[in-house]
Amino acid sequence: MALLVMKFGGTSVADIERIRIAAGHVKREVDAGHQCAVVVSAMSGQTNQLIEWVNEASPKADPHEYDTVVSSGEQVTSGLLAIVLQSMGIAARSWQGWQVPVFTDDAHSSARIIDVKTEELKSSLEANEVAVVPGFQGLGPHNRITTLGRGGSDTSAVALAAALGTERCDIYTDVDGIYTTDPRVVPQAQRLDKISYEEMLEMASLGAKVLQTRSVQLAMVHQVRVLVRSSFEPPDEVPAGEEGAGTLVCDEDEIVEQQVVSGIAYTKDEAKVTLIKVADKPGVAARVFGPLAEARINVDMIVQNVSADDRTTDMTFTVAAAELDKALDVLKGLKDDIGYADLRGSTDVVKVSVIGVGMRSHAGVAAQMFKALAEKGINIEAISTSEIKISILIDAAYAELAVRSLHSLYGLDSA
Ligand code: ADP
Ligand code: ASP
Ligand code: MG
């Protein structure tokens, strides 16, 4: 008998019919003798709706109350799944984040999990009661409800698996695994049997929203194997307890055949800032990036052009699209201090990234990439690299063309 953590995302609990199918997957595991802790997201679209209501009530809502409202979608689905399981004759109860409790810090709307208490949960599981836990929810300082950031139910599930000491966490979603790129953008994308934590970490942080980045970090640290699989398959056609279906996120040394490039991710959530004609002298970069850091604005890619006249240069960098206005405000206030001729901001850009641990030992991946994009007439505005990824910033209009071309270039297209 094993203890399983199963997580169902928004589309997998989108209505009562879907909740019944999710319950069917749980029943299959219960019938096979497993203890099940089940994490659920809100019905798809619900969290967006709740955020809209908060913004309509006040664009400057108190973050504590924001989380009170926004966390409620998961309360509904956890209760509904428990009700459906009970109606199938399975003992089940819901546990809200504050009841477990899942302790977090006080960073409302993007809180980090500090500790998950499992004593009570464990005794309920040992009494063969399915525990249905709403994802995304936490309990912060002063008994206030927190939320873990968009897509945070993945992180709830992995944290629960780590705290319960299970070695596997099953993430049921609307695709049957992790693909070489978003299968909704590139139909030729191929499902991977396995992907390393490191690659998945890059994929997630560079835009593949199939798993929240923090869930992969936690899985890597606590050695939780994450199996991403489909909730849409009929529950009784899947063998109980199986690791076969879907994509396993695991240690690199478990993967026998490693490709040079494993996947391609892209994100439209980045914005470009250009400072025109800044003085080309020591200390200027510090005067630009120091105040941005103080304003808690993260800067990602940075390009400083070669100076044409030896006195001034253009400087381009990227920030999260949601922080563009804030970044521009900070820089406008520093116009005299920095000394620039003009300031421009644009959200019409996309960051496309090529990821693979094989790049550590394989030269030429970047050169191939730049050549292929040049042949398609796509201009690269900024580049950043790490040991296992190359990211480029391009005009948003070319996003799909670039992703598709690179997917073929590295031999990832299905036959
Ligand atoms: P859930 O509601 O179950 O949490 P999400 O919408 O958060 O599901 O994540 C699943 C989606 O992630 C898929 O529908 C797919 O469009 C998208 N996705 C992006 N990149 C990938 C990828 N490389 N592999 C699989 N899915 C991906
Ligand atoms: N419901 C939350 C969201 O939409 C959390 C999640 O689904 O993982 O972001
Ligand atoms: Mg998700």
Side-chain angles (χ1 to χ4, degrees), residues 314-347:
D314 293 348
M315 193 184 269
T316 296
F317 57 89
T318 62
V319 296
E323 293 189 326
L324 176 63
D325 290 343
K326 199 167 143 198
L328 292 177
D329 283 346
V330 169
L331 295 169
K332 272 179 207 153
L334 294 166
K335 187 164 195 297
D336 292 338
D337 190 32
I338 301 170
Y340 56 80
D342 199 5
L343 171 66
R344 291 180 198 156
S346 160
T347 50

Side-chain angles (χ1 to χ4, degrees), residues 382-395:
I383 302 168
S384 70
T385 62
S386 80
E387 218 188 1
I388 66 161
K389 71 113 204 252
I390 305 160
S391 301
I392 49 144
L393 191 75
I394 58 171
D395 189 322

Side-chain angles (χ1 to χ4, degrees), residues 144-258:
R144 298 304 305 251
I145 290 171
T146 56
T147 59
L148 308 181
R150 298 309 305 270
S153 297
D154 297 326
T155 302
S156 309
V158 173
L160 192 59
L164 289 169
T166 60
E167 57 182 41
R168 201 178 98 201
C169 176
D170 286 4
I171 305 278
Y172 287 81
T173 183
D174 57 4
V175 277
D176 63 354
I178 295 161
Y179 280 70
T180 45
T181 193
D182 190 340
R184 297 190 201 284
V185 174
V186 181
Q188 294 85 355
Q190 295 189 69
R191 189 171 59 77
L192 301 162
D193 286 335
K194 291 183 178 176
I195 184 168
S196 67
Y197 291 119
E198 271 187 79
E199 287 169 319
M200 193 58 228
L201 201 54
E202 293 280 14
M203 289 271 274
S205 69
L206 295 168
K209 66 164 189 163
V210 59
L211 287 176
Q212 198 198 34
T213 308
R214 277 188 195 165
S215 72
V216 189
Q217 280 168 334
L218 267 188
M220 188 155 121
V221 170
H222 295 281
Q223 290 287 297
V224 175
R225 296 149 68 81
V226 176
L227 182 67
V228 176
R229 57 195 297 182
S230 168
S231 70
F232 289 11
E233 279 167 286
D236 42 12
E237 285 177 19
V238 184
E242 276 290 305
E243 217 182 63
T247 302
L248 189 69
V249 189
C250 59
D251 265 333
E252 194 180 322
D253 35 346
E254 267 194 59
I255 303 173
V256 187
E257 268 193 57
Q258 194 72 63

Side-chain angles (χ1 to χ4, degrees), residues 41-42 47 74 136 150-153:
S41 290
T47 308
E74 272 77 4
F136 193 46
R150 298 309 305 270
S153 297

